[in-house]
Amino acid sequence: MNPANPETDREIFSAVIAPHRSLSRRGFLIFMAAVGGVSFATGLVFLSMGAWPVFGFFGLDVLLVFLAFRANYISGRAREVIRITESELLVRRISAKGAMVEWRFNPYWVRIDVGRDHDGDLQTVSLTSHGSKLEIGYWLSPPEKADFLAALSAALAAARRGLPA
């Protein structure tokens, strides 16, 4: 272990984990155009029957769908950065609003705990050290967590040996 400054240590592992968003910006525009078009056409039918207030409610529905997607994309700005150097394991969480929280662990003392469901699928990955526990990678799917766990375990073993991963 190199007792020098962790900022100058050799980086062994680095990962950035972010919430998954399945709809691209282009897909969102196509979806909103479809929802808006269907709402407008249906609203025109009601408008022609004399039920003019219904037309406004269809517009309100489109606005609410837009606002829900906007909130979803804003929450997608959150990040979790995991970095392992020769002397430190750093977990940095950045919220969607930009607030940052950091945890620092000694790679020699930190242990990885996993939680599995009744089918044996990986559900949680946590770091444990000196009585404290921190869940990481909670945005990942079970298969992604398994891959992440393998890479993290190998990097921690390399940090303990003082070798590159």
Side-chain angles (χ1 to χ4, degrees):
M1 180 171 113
N2 184 358
N5 183 355
E7 298 299 322
T8 61
D9 282 352
R10 180 173 44 93
E11 183 174 272
I12 296 171
F13 177 84
S14 181
V16 177
I17 301 171
H20 179 66
R21 297 295 181 257
S22 60
L23 195 59
S24 67
R25 180 175 284 292
R26 182 172 181 250
F28 170 70
L29 292 174
I30 291 169
F31 176 76
M32 286 305 300
V35 167
V38 168
S39 292
F40 184 73
T42 308
L44 285 178
V45 171
F46 281 96
L47 190 63
S48 69
M49 294 187 319
W52 59 267
V54 176
F55 187 77
F57 283 106
F58 275 108
L60 182 61
D61 287 348
V62 173
L63 176 65
L64 291 175
V65 168
F66 172 79
L67 292 175
F69 270 97
R70 184 170 180 232
N72 181 41
Y73 283 117
I74 288 172
S75 72
R77 295 179 189 162
R79 299 281 181 264
E80 186 174 59
V81 178
I82 295 140
R83 181 175 181 255
I84 300 175
T85 65
E86 295 170 315
S87 65
E88 180 179 69
L89 186 153
L90 170 71
V91 178
R92 179 179 294 146
R93 283 201 187 131
I94 304 163
S95 75
K97 294 180 180 179
M100 185 176 64
V101 180
E102 286 186 349
W103 294 267
R104 295 175 186 271
F105 300 94
N106 184 323
Y108 288 91
W109 294 106
V110 72
R111 297 290 172 254
I112 301 174
D113 287 338
V114 297
R116 298 187 183 274
D117 65 8
H118 62 280
D119 292 329
D121 291 331
L122 188 58
Q123 295 299 309
T124 60
V125 176
S126 301
L127 301 174
T128 304
S129 181
H130 295 91
S132 63
K133 189 173 189 174
L134 175 66
E135 183 180 346
I136 57 173
Y138 50 85
W139 292 309
L140 299 174
S141 67
E144 291 171 327
K145 283 183 185 180
D147 292 342
F148 175 70
L149 175 63
L152 183 66
S153 297
L156 275 175
R160 291 176 184 137
R161 288 189 315 267
L163 303 172

